[in-house]
Amino acid sequence: MPPARHCHALCHALSPAERSWRWVRWSPAAVHRPRMSADWWQWVASTDSLTARLIAASERPFRVKLMHQGVERPRRDEARALGLALTEVAWVREVMLMSGDRPWVSARSIAPLDRIGCRRLRALGERSLGSWLFAQPDLARDPIEVARVSPGGEGLCDGLWLRRSRFRHGGIQLLVQECFRYEMAEDLGLSVTR
């Protein structure tokens, strides 16, 4: 892993994911409840394993497709959520949660470099984060925050609803953000009205 001082130029470049997530405005999930259909609320507000829910809902094999991972400077809102200084770098992992060849959920996870959570994220590869995370008996999850995807979203954020929450397990903390995509809505018959 490159030391933080070697990341200065890389951490200032905007990846496609950075460009598509950077203008997100997060609110408590309950704020969005009146504008969300009941079927979407069951997905967005659920506090159990999203991986397990996706596997149960998919008629095709479920898989995790690794899109990108590496040392980066988190976005300002991500740094605040993790209690990091704006100049600090973290381990960032971006994946697609796939139903067969259909991308259903885009996920972006961030872990500070000074904890074992970073090593856990690095070692996952194309395995599900949820399968490890929800097996931890002392897992704590902060309240879910939600954002509506702005029209014209692209890249990892090409979907309808975003959610995020911070997880803690022992000395580990990480921020997990998930974008529910149009393909999932189409395949499961969920409302796509903006």
Side-chain angles (χ1 to χ4, degrees):
M1 181 184 310
R5 66 178 180 274
H6 292 158
C7 293
H8 185 75
L10 293 175
C11 294
H12 284 82
L14 292 180
S15 70
E18 173 72 11
R19 288 192 297 270
S20 61
W21 290 76
R22 64 192 262 194
W23 302 117
V24 172
R25 298 291 179 260
W26 299 101
S27 305
V31 170
H32 295 274
R33 180 63 187 99
R35 293 179 296 220
M36 195 180 296
S37 65
D39 51 359
W40 269 121
W41 182 252
Q42 292 177 19
W43 283 99
V44 175
S46 68
T47 57
D48 56 351
S49 169
L50 179 61
T51 298
R53 281 177 169 262
L54 292 171
I55 290 170
S58 177
E59 295 180 358
R60 296 175 290 263
F62 172 85
R63 66 187 176 95
V64 177
K65 181 178 180 181
L66 179 64
M67 304 300 291
H68 165 78
Q69 64 178 354
V71 177
E72 299 177 12
R73 192 174 70 186
R75 292 190 330 262
R76 183 180 298 266
D77 67 293
E78 293 169 341
R80 275 198 301 262
L82 289 167
L84 300 176
L86 298 181
T87 54
E88 286 187 75
V89 293
W91 187 261
V92 177
R93 177 177 183 256
E94 295 167 354
V95 300
M96 292 284 190
L97 306 181
M98 310 283 291
S99 171
D101 62 353
R102 301 271 287 172
W104 275 12
V105 175
S106 309
R108 176 176 164 95
S109 303
I110 300 99
L113 295 183
D114 61 346
R115 297 288 181 190
I116 194 172
C118 170
R119 293 197 296 276
R120 291 284 189 183
L121 277 185
R122 289 181 67 189
L124 281 172
E126 296 201 326
R127 287 172 295 155
S128 161
L129 171 62
S131 62
W132 166 71
L133 205 54
F134 282 89
Q136 307 311 312
D138 64 340
L139 182 67
R141 181 180 195 166
D142 286 358
I144 293 172
E145 294 180 300
V146 174
R148 189 72 157 146
V149 178
S150 299
E154 60 181 33
L156 286 181
C157 203
D158 184 15
L160 293 155
W161 291 102
L162 290 162
R163 73 172 189 175
R164 75 172 186 180
S165 52
R166 185 178 62 159
F167 291 87
R168 283 165 288 142
H169 152 57
I172 298 170
Q173 69 163 340
L174 37 90
L175 183 67
V176 179
Q177 302 166 117
E178 295 148 335
C179 177
F180 295 89
R181 297 175 60 93
Y182 284 107
E183 292 89 344
M184 177 182 169
E186 291 169 0
D187 291 349
L188 297 182
L190 303 172
S191 168
V192 296
T193 304
R194 286 200 180 273

